[in-house]
Amino acid sequence: MVTIASLLWPIILSAVLVFIVSSIVWMVLPYHKSDYKALPNEDPVFDALGEGLAPGLYDFPHMTSMDDMKKPEIQERFRKGPVGFVTVAPGAPNMPKLLAQWFVYSLLVGVVVAYVASRTLPAGTEYLRVFQITGTVAWLAYGFAAISEGIWFYRPWKNVAKWLFDALLYGLVTAGAFGWLWPACGAGAPPPRPSHG
């Protein structure tokens, strides 16, 4: 049986490759530049929000329960708009901290991929089969939460599609790392039986 410990190198390599690919995606390629739009008349919005707005998630119009939906003033606010969600950050992005968190997250995805693969694939499994399983798990882990963001939080579907494409790239490099470094059969161990289906 393949152990997670024996997959330490593909876990690390996949995280490094994802870090490199994501850096290229966000810093070199142009397709994410249109993800966010500027607010019209940004200065008055800043003034209206004020300096005392604590970091966190906000929605408007705000409801404390589903019963609020029945209130005429809430219905009027929804009718007039705008309706939305706002994330307030604690300040300027701390890039070293964010990049470190992203790398740790990629390691965590690698561990999950290793767990699934180690429970479903024996040592000596051919490259393509390892690639298929690990790539699928990694793609799901990196990307499919974006779909619920599109459903529940109105993320534009074109943005969701871009995030899924990014996740596919991350899944492919993860699959490549695991396929390349997958443990071979031990000395004297019989080769794995070919899978059917």
mmCIF file of all heavy atoms in Angstrom, residues 5-44:
data_model
loop_
_atom_site.group_PDB
_atom_site.id
_atom_site.type_symbol
_atom_site.label_atom_id
_atom_site.label_comp_id
_atom_site.label_asym_id
_atom_site.label_seq_id
_atom_site.Cartn_x
_atom_site.Cartn_y
_atom_site.Cartn_z
ATOM 1 N N ALA A 5 3.271 9.363 3.562
ATOM 2 C CA ALA A 5 4.669 9.746 3.784
ATOM 3 C C ALA A 5 5.519 9.492 2.543
ATOM 4 O O ALA A 5 6.448 10.254 2.245
ATOM 5 C CB ALA A 5 5.230 8.991 4.984
ATOM 6 N N SER A 6 5.206 8.428 1.792
ATOM 7 C CA SER A 6 5.981 8.126 0.589
ATOM 8 C C SER A 6 5.678 9.103 -0.542
ATOM 9 O O SER A 6 6.359 9.102 -1.566
ATOM 10 C CB SER A 6 5.702 6.695 0.122
ATOM 11 O OG SER A 6 4.389 6.574 -0.396
ATOM 12 N N LEU A 7 4.653 9.936 -0.353
ATOM 13 C CA LEU A 7 4.265 10.914 -1.375
ATOM 14 C C LEU A 7 4.675 12.338 -0.989
ATOM 15 O O LEU A 7 4.150 13.312 -1.539
ATOM 16 C CB LEU A 7 2.756 10.846 -1.613
ATOM 17 C CG LEU A 7 2.244 9.498 -2.140
ATOM 18 C CD1 LEU A 7 0.721 9.492 -2.206
ATOM 19 C CD2 LEU A 7 2.849 9.184 -3.498
ATOM 20 N N LEU A 8 5.600 12.443 -0.051
ATOM 21 C CA LEU A 8 6.033 13.771 0.411
ATOM 22 C C LEU A 8 6.602 14.611 -0.729
ATOM 23 O O LEU A 8 6.280 15.794 -0.856
ATOM 24 C CB LEU A 8 7.070 13.621 1.529
ATOM 25 C CG LEU A 8 7.586 14.921 2.143
ATOM 26 C CD1 LEU A 8 6.440 15.697 2.780
ATOM 27 C CD2 LEU A 8 8.676 14.644 3.155
ATOM 28 N N TRP A 9 7.427 14.014 -1.591
ATOM 29 C CA TRP A 9 8.043 14.789 -2.672
ATOM 30 C C TRP A 9 7.027 15.270 -3.693
ATOM 31 O O TRP A 9 7.074 16.439 -4.099
ATOM 32 C CB TRP A 9 9.188 14.001 -3.323
ATOM 33 C CG TRP A 9 10.398 13.968 -2.443
ATOM 34 C CD1 TRP A 9 10.966 12.885 -1.854
ATOM 35 C CD2 TRP A 9 11.174 15.095 -2.001
ATOM 36 N NE1 TRP A 9 12.036 13.242 -1.086
ATOM 37 C CE2 TRP A 9 12.191 14.605 -1.160
ATOM 38 C CE3 TRP A 9 11.102 16.465 -2.238
ATOM 39 C CZ2 TRP A 9 13.137 15.433 -0.565
ATOM 40 C CZ3 TRP A 9 12.039 17.306 -1.638
ATOM 41 C CH2 TRP A 9 13.039 16.792 -0.813
ATOM 42 N N PRO A 10 6.087 14.434 -4.148
ATOM 43 C CA PRO A 10 5.084 14.995 -5.057
ATOM 44 C C PRO A 10 4.198 16.058 -4.403
ATOM 45 O O PRO A 10 3.766 16.998 -5.079
ATOM 46 C CB PRO A 10 4.264 13.785 -5.514
ATOM 47 C CG PRO A 10 4.691 12.646 -4.687
ATOM 48 C CD PRO A 10 6.007 12.977 -4.076
ATOM 49 N N ILE A 11 3.943 15.931 -3.108
ATOM 50 C CA ILE A 11 3.171 16.969 -2.404
ATOM 51 C C ILE A 11 3.913 18.302 -2.470
ATOM 52 O O ILE A 11 3.339 19.339 -2.828
ATOM 53 C CB ILE A 11 2.917 16.554 -0.936
ATOM 54 C CG1 ILE A 11 1.931 15.387 -0.865
ATOM 55 C CG2 ILE A 11 2.398 17.746 -0.120
ATOM 56 C CD1 ILE A 11 1.817 14.761 0.516
ATOM 57 N N ILE A 12 5.202 18.270 -2.139
ATOM 58 C CA ILE A 12 5.997 19.506 -2.134
ATOM 59 C C ILE A 12 6.172 20.051 -3.545
ATOM 60 O O ILE A 12 5.978 21.248 -3.792
ATOM 61 C CB ILE A 12 7.372 19.263 -1.470
ATOM 62 C CG1 ILE A 12 7.185 18.941 0.016
ATOM 63 C CG2 ILE A 12 8.294 20.465 -1.659
ATOM 64 C CD1 ILE A 12 8.447 18.465 0.717
ATOM 65 N N LEU A 13 6.505 19.165 -4.489
ATOM 66 C CA LEU A 13 6.712 19.622 -5.861
ATOM 67 C C LEU A 13 5.437 20.208 -6.452
ATOM 68 O O LEU A 13 5.478 21.242 -7.122
ATOM 69 C CB LEU A 13 7.214 18.470 -6.738
ATOM 70 C CG LEU A 13 7.426 18.823 -8.211
ATOM 71 C CD1 LEU A 13 8.474 19.929 -8.367
ATOM 72 C CD2 LEU A 13 7.820 17.586 -9.012
ATOM 73 N N SER A 14 4.305 19.577 -6.184
ATOM 74 C CA SER A 14 3.047 20.101 -6.729
ATOM 75 C C SER A 14 2.748 21.480 -6.167
ATOM 76 O O SER A 14 2.293 22.370 -6.892
ATOM 77 C CB SER A 14 1.889 19.134 -6.450
ATOM 78 O OG SER A 14 1.608 19.029 -5.063
ATOM 79 N N ALA A 15 3.021 21.705 -4.877
ATOM 80 C CA ALA A 15 2.791 23.026 -4.286
ATOM 81 C C ALA A 15 3.708 24.071 -4.913
ATOM 82 O O ALA A 15 3.279 25.194 -5.198
ATOM 83 C CB ALA A 15 3.000 22.970 -2.771
ATOM 84 N N VAL A 16 4.962 23.709 -5.157
ATOM 85 C CA VAL A 16 5.906 24.639 -5.794
ATOM 86 C C VAL A 16 5.441 24.969 -7.212
ATOM 87 O O VAL A 16 5.433 26.142 -7.628
ATOM 88 C CB VAL A 16 7.331 24.041 -5.802
ATOM 89 C CG1 VAL A 16 8.263 24.873 -6.682
ATOM 90 C CG2 VAL A 16 7.878 23.948 -4.380
ATOM 91 N N LEU A 17 5.021 23.948 -7.970
ATOM 92 C CA LEU A 17 4.569 24.178 -9.340
ATOM 93 C C LEU A 17 3.307 25.030 -9.387
ATOM 94 O O LEU A 17 3.180 25.925 -10.232
ATOM 95 C CB LEU A 17 4.345 22.839 -10.048
ATOM 96 C CG LEU A 17 5.599 22.016 -10.330
ATOM 97 C CD1 LEU A 17 5.224 20.654 -10.902
ATOM 98 C CD2 LEU A 17 6.543 22.753 -11.274
ATOM 99 N N VAL A 18 2.374 24.762 -8.483
ATOM 100 C CA VAL A 18 1.149 25.570 -8.427
ATOM 101 C C VAL A 18 1.502 27.017 -8.082
ATOM 102 O O VAL A 18 0.938 27.955 -8.656
ATOM 103 C CB VAL A 18 0.145 24.978 -7.421
ATOM 104 C CG1 VAL A 18 -0.973 25.971 -7.101
ATOM 105 C CG2 VAL A 18 -0.438 23.681 -7.967
ATOM 106 N N PHE A 19 2.431 27.211 -7.157
ATOM 107 C CA PHE A 19 2.856 28.563 -6.787
ATOM 108 C C PHE A 19 3.417 29.292 -8.008
ATOM 109 O O PHE A 19 3.094 30.462 -8.253
ATOM 110 C CB PHE A 19 3.903 28.473 -5.675
ATOM 111 C CG PHE A 19 4.225 29.784 -5.038
ATOM 112 C CD1 PHE A 19 3.518 30.245 -3.942
ATOM 113 C CD2 PHE A 19 5.260 30.580 -5.528
ATOM 114 C CE1 PHE A 19 3.819 31.469 -3.354
ATOM 115 C CE2 PHE A 19 5.566 31.798 -4.941
ATOM 116 C CZ PHE A 19 4.840 32.236 -3.852
ATOM 117 N N ILE A 20 4.240 28.612 -8.797
ATOM 118 C CA ILE A 20 4.833 29.232 -9.983
ATOM 119 C C ILE A 20 3.760 29.534 -11.026
ATOM 120 O O ILE A 20 3.698 30.646 -11.577
ATOM 121 C CB ILE A 20 5.925 28.316 -10.575
ATOM 122 C CG1 ILE A 20 7.122 28.236 -9.614
ATOM 123 C CG2 ILE A 20 6.378 28.814 -11.952
ATOM 124 C CD1 ILE A 20 8.127 27.159 -9.957
ATOM 125 N N VAL A 21 2.898 28.555 -11.303
ATOM 126 C CA VAL A 21 1.864 28.754 -12.322
ATOM 127 C C VAL A 21 0.905 29.862 -11.907
ATOM 128 O O VAL A 21 0.529 30.715 -12.718
ATOM 129 C CB VAL A 21 1.102 27.433 -12.589
ATOM 130 C CG1 VAL A 21 -0.132 27.675 -13.443
ATOM 131 C CG2 VAL A 21 2.019 26.432 -13.267
ATOM 132 N N SER A 22 0.506 29.889 -10.634
ATOM 133 C CA SER A 22 -0.416 30.934 -10.183
ATOM 134 C C SER A 22 0.231 32.310 -10.255
ATOM 135 O O SER A 22 -0.441 33.305 -10.554
ATOM 136 C CB SER A 22 -0.914 30.649 -8.763
ATOM 137 O OG SER A 22 0.134 30.733 -7.828
ATOM 138 N N SER A 23 1.524 32.389 -10.021
ATOM 139 C CA SER A 23 2.232 33.669 -10.152
ATOM 140 C C SER A 23 2.212 34.147 -11.592
ATOM 141 O O SER A 23 1.995 35.333 -11.863
ATOM 142 C CB SER A 23 3.673 33.533 -9.663
ATOM 143 O OG SER A 23 3.704 33.196 -8.287
ATOM 144 N N ILE A 24 2.412 33.222 -12.531
ATOM 145 C CA ILE A 24 2.355 33.580 -13.951
ATOM 146 C C ILE A 24 0.941 34.019 -14.329
ATOM 147 O O ILE A 24 0.746 35.031 -15.017
ATOM 148 C CB ILE A 24 2.820 32.392 -14.818
ATOM 149 C CG1 ILE A 24 4.312 32.128 -14.593
ATOM 150 C CG2 ILE A 24 2.529 32.649 -16.294
ATOM 151 C CD1 ILE A 24 4.819 30.829 -15.180
ATOM 152 N N VAL A 25 -0.059 33.259 -13.857
ATOM 153 C CA VAL A 25 -1.456 33.570 -14.183
ATOM 154 C C VAL A 25 -1.825 34.975 -13.719
ATOM 155 O O VAL A 25 -2.448 35.748 -14.448
ATOM 156 C CB VAL A 25 -2.397 32.517 -13.551
ATOM 157 C CG1 VAL A 25 -3.836 33.015 -13.517
ATOM 158 C CG2 VAL A 25 -2.316 31.206 -14.322
ATOM 159 N N TRP A 26 -1.454 35.325 -12.498
ATOM 160 C CA TRP A 26 -1.906 36.591 -11.920
ATOM 161 C C TRP A 26 -0.999 37.776 -12.224
ATOM 162 O O TRP A 26 -1.451 38.916 -12.215
ATOM 163 C CB TRP A 26 -2.081 36.445 -10.412
ATOM 164 C CG TRP A 26 -3.323 35.674 -10.094
ATOM 165 C CD1 TRP A 26 -3.417 34.338 -9.837
ATOM 166 C CD2 TRP A 26 -4.654 36.177 -10.045
ATOM 167 N NE1 TRP A 26 -4.727 33.982 -9.636
ATOM 168 C CE2 TRP A 26 -5.512 35.094 -9.751
ATOM 169 C CE3 TRP A 26 -5.204 37.437 -10.229
ATOM 170 C CZ2 TRP A 26 -6.887 35.241 -9.632
ATOM 171 C CZ3 TRP A 26 -6.584 37.593 -10.104
ATOM 172 C CH2 TRP A 26 -7.407 36.504 -9.804
ATOM 173 N N MET A 27 0.294 37.528 -12.503
ATOM 174 C CA MET A 27 1.205 38.653 -12.700
ATOM 175 C C MET A 27 1.616 38.863 -14.151
ATOM 176 O O MET A 27 2.035 39.960 -14.509
ATOM 177 C CB MET A 27 2.460 38.473 -11.834
ATOM 178 C CG MET A 27 2.156 38.569 -10.349
ATOM 179 S SD MET A 27 3.615 38.651 -9.300
ATOM 180 C CE MET A 27 4.329 37.042 -9.516
ATOM 181 N N VAL A 28 1.484 37.836 -14.998
ATOM 182 C CA VAL A 28 1.948 37.951 -16.375
ATOM 183 C C VAL A 28 0.785 37.930 -17.360
ATOM 184 O O VAL A 28 0.687 38.789 -18.238
ATOM 185 C CB VAL A 28 2.957 36.821 -16.704
ATOM 186 C CG1 VAL A 28 3.395 36.909 -18.155
ATOM 187 C CG2 VAL A 28 4.163 36.874 -15.768
ATOM 188 N N LEU A 29 -0.093 36.968 -17.228
ATOM 189 C CA LEU A 29 -1.202 36.832 -18.172
ATOM 190 C C LEU A 29 -2.257 37.909 -17.922
ATOM 191 O O LEU A 29 -2.491 38.297 -16.776
ATOM 192 C CB LEU A 29 -1.820 35.436 -18.072
ATOM 193 C CG LEU A 29 -0.856 34.277 -18.355
ATOM 194 C CD1 LEU A 29 -1.564 32.935 -18.204
ATOM 195 C CD2 LEU A 29 -0.253 34.393 -19.753
ATOM 196 N N PRO A 30 -2.914 38.396 -18.978
ATOM 197 C CA PRO A 30 -3.806 39.554 -18.819
ATOM 198 C C PRO A 30 -5.265 39.230 -18.493
ATOM 199 O O PRO A 30 -6.029 40.137 -18.228
ATOM 200 C CB PRO A 30 -3.725 40.222 -20.195
ATOM 201 C CG PRO A 30 -3.509 39.080 -21.140
ATOM 202 C CD PRO A 30 -2.667 38.088 -20.392
ATOM 203 N N TYR A 31 -5.677 37.966 -18.472
ATOM 204 C CA TYR A 31 -7.110 37.696 -18.464
ATOM 205 C C TYR A 31 -7.812 37.939 -17.135
ATOM 206 O O TYR A 31 -9.036 37.952 -17.088
ATOM 207 C CB TYR A 31 -7.426 36.297 -19.019
ATOM 208 C CG TYR A 31 -6.926 35.120 -18.216
ATOM 209 C CD1 TYR A 31 -7.726 34.517 -17.246
ATOM 210 C CD2 TYR A 31 -5.680 34.576 -18.469
ATOM 211 C CE1 TYR A 31 -7.279 33.418 -16.542
ATOM 212 C CE2 TYR A 31 -5.230 33.474 -17.761
ATOM 213 C CZ TYR A 31 -6.034 32.896 -16.802
ATOM 214 O OH TYR A 31 -5.586 31.804 -16.100
ATOM 215 N N HIS A 32 -7.080 38.172 -16.048
ATOM 216 C CA HIS A 32 -7.735 38.510 -14.774
ATOM 217 C C HIS A 32 -7.851 40.018 -14.553
ATOM 218 O O HIS A 32 -8.431 40.454 -13.563
ATOM 219 C CB HIS A 32 -6.992 37.875 -13.604
ATOM 220 C CG HIS A 32 -7.349 36.443 -13.372
ATOM 221 N ND1 HIS A 32 -8.607 36.040 -12.988
ATOM 222 C CD2 HIS A 32 -6.610 35.310 -13.486
ATOM 223 C CE1 HIS A 32 -8.635 34.730 -12.864
ATOM 224 N NE2 HIS A 32 -7.442 34.262 -13.168
ATOM 225 N N LYS A 33 -7.304 40.815 -15.460
ATOM 226 C CA LYS A 33 -7.301 42.266 -15.247
ATOM 227 C C LYS A 33 -8.705 42.865 -15.271
ATOM 228 O O LYS A 33 -8.928 43.944 -14.741
ATOM 229 C CB LYS A 33 -6.409 42.943 -16.287
ATOM 230 C CG LYS A 33 -4.949 42.616 -16.052
ATOM 231 C CD LYS A 33 -4.020 43.369 -16.950
ATOM 232 C CE LYS A 33 -2.590 43.003 -16.573
ATOM 233 N NZ LYS A 33 -1.599 43.562 -17.430
ATOM 234 N N SER A 34 -9.646 42.160 -15.883
ATOM 235 C CA SER A 34 -11.018 42.674 -15.955
ATOM 236 C C SER A 34 -11.936 42.068 -14.888
ATOM 237 O O SER A 34 -13.148 42.257 -14.940
ATOM 238 C CB SER A 34 -11.603 42.379 -17.343
ATOM 239 O OG SER A 34 -11.666 40.977 -17.565
ATOM 240 N N ASP A 35 -11.370 41.376 -13.908
ATOM 241 C CA ASP A 35 -12.204 40.714 -12.898
ATOM 242 C C ASP A 35 -12.970 41.702 -12.020
ATOM 243 O O ASP A 35 -14.094 41.441 -11.619
ATOM 244 C CB ASP A 35 -11.346 39.817 -11.994
ATOM 245 C CG ASP A 35 -10.949 38.516 -12.669
ATOM 246 O OD1 ASP A 35 -11.330 38.309 -13.837
ATOM 247 O OD2 ASP A 35 -10.259 37.709 -12.024
ATOM 248 N N TYR A 36 -12.357 42.827 -11.695
ATOM 249 C CA TYR A 36 -12.966 43.807 -10.799
ATOM 250 C C TYR A 36 -13.175 45.125 -11.534
ATOM 251 O O TYR A 36 -12.371 45.511 -12.368
ATOM 252 C CB TYR A 36 -12.089 44.031 -9.559
ATOM 253 C CG TYR A 36 -12.014 42.812 -8.682
ATOM 254 C CD1 TYR A 36 -11.018 41.861 -8.857
ATOM 255 C CD2 TYR A 36 -12.962 42.597 -7.687
ATOM 256 C CE1 TYR A 36 -10.951 40.730 -8.063
ATOM 257 C CE2 TYR A 36 -12.902 41.470 -6.888
ATOM 258 C CZ TYR A 36 -11.892 40.546 -7.082
ATOM 259 O OH TYR A 36 -11.838 39.415 -6.302
ATOM 260 N N LYS A 37 -14.245 45.798 -11.171
ATOM 261 C CA LYS A 37 -14.554 47.094 -11.773
ATOM 262 C C LYS A 37 -14.380 48.189 -10.727
ATOM 263 O O LYS A 37 -14.570 47.957 -9.526
ATOM 264 C CB LYS A 37 -16.007 47.116 -12.268
ATOM 265 C CG LYS A 37 -16.304 46.082 -13.337
ATOM 266 C CD LYS A 37 -17.772 46.110 -13.688
ATOM 267 C CE LYS A 37 -18.106 45.023 -14.694
ATOM 268 N NZ LYS A 37 -19.523 44.936 -14.983
ATOM 269 N N ALA A 38 -14.069 49.374 -11.188
ATOM 270 C CA ALA A 38 -13.974 50.519 -10.288
ATOM 271 C C ALA A 38 -15.378 51.013 -9.946
ATOM 272 O O ALA A 38 -16.290 50.981 -10.786
ATOM 273 C CB ALA A 38 -13.177 51.633 -10.941
ATOM 274 N N LEU A 39 -15.553 51.460 -8.707
ATOM 275 C CA LEU A 39 -16.814 52.074 -8.322
ATOM 276 C C LEU A 39 -16.956 53.431 -9.009
ATOM 277 O O LEU A 39 -15.975 54.181 -9.096
ATOM 278 C CB LEU A 39 -16.865 52.290 -6.808
ATOM 279 C CG LEU A 39 -16.995 51.042 -5.941
ATOM 280 C CD1 LEU A 39 -16.713 51.410 -4.486
ATOM 281 C CD2 LEU A 39 -18.384 50.444 -6.078
ATOM 282 N N PRO A 40 -18.142 53.761 -9.467
ATOM 283 C CA PRO A 40 -18.320 55.128 -9.974
ATOM 284 C C PRO A 40 -18.251 56.101 -8.789
ATOM 285 O O PRO A 40 -18.783 55.826 -7.722
ATOM 286 C CB PRO A 40 -19.719 55.105 -10.603
ATOM 287 C CG PRO A 40 -20.409 53.937 -9.984
ATOM 288 C CD PRO A 40 -19.350 52.952 -9.595
ATOM 289 N N ASN A 41 -17.562 57.184 -8.961
ATOM 290 C CA ASN A 41 -17.417 58.171 -7.880
ATOM 291 C C ASN A 41 -16.885 57.508 -6.605
ATOM 292 O O ASN A 41 -17.529 57.494 -5.567
ATOM 293 C CB ASN A 41 -18.753 58.865 -7.593
ATOM 294 C CG ASN A 41 -19.277 59.585 -8.813
ATOM 295 O OD1 ASN A 41 -18.533 60.258 -9.501
ATOM 296 N ND2 ASN A 41 -20.561 59.414 -9.086
ATOM 297 N N GLU A 42 -15.702 56.946 -6.710
ATOM 298 C CA GLU A 42 -15.132 56.173 -5.607
ATOM 299 C C GLU A 42 -14.936 57.001 -4.338
ATOM 300 O O GLU A 42 -15.145 56.507 -3.231
ATOM 301 C CB GLU A 42 -13.795 55.574 -6.072
ATOM 302 C CG GLU A 42 -13.194 54.575 -5.115
ATOM 303 C CD GLU A 42 -11.943 53.937 -5.677
ATOM 304 O OE1 GLU A 42 -12.063 52.940 -6.407
ATOM 305 O OE2 GLU A 42 -10.836 54.452 -5.375
ATOM 306 N N ASP A 43 -14.550 58.272 -4.479
ATOM 307 C CA ASP A 43 -14.278 59.087 -3.293
ATOM 308 C C ASP A 43 -15.495 59.245 -2.383
ATOM 309 O O ASP A 43 -15.379 59.074 -1.161
ATOM 310 C CB ASP A 43 -13.724 60.457 -3.697
ATOM 311 C CG ASP A 43 -12.300 60.356 -4.233
ATOM 312 O OD1 ASP A 43 -11.621 59.342 -3.942
ATOM 313 O OD2 ASP A 43 -11.869 61.269 -4.946
ATOM 314 N N PRO A 44 -16.685 59.563 -2.916
ATOM 315 C CA PRO A 44 -17.847 59.640 -2.022
ATOM 316 C C PRO A 44 -18.178 58.312 -1.332
ATOM 317 O O PRO A 44 -18.645 58.307 -0.199
ATOM 318 C CB PRO A 44 -18.988 60.068 -2.949
ATOM 319 C CG PRO A 44 -18.333 60.709 -4.114
ATOM 320 C CD PRO A 44 -17.015 60.027 -4.259
#
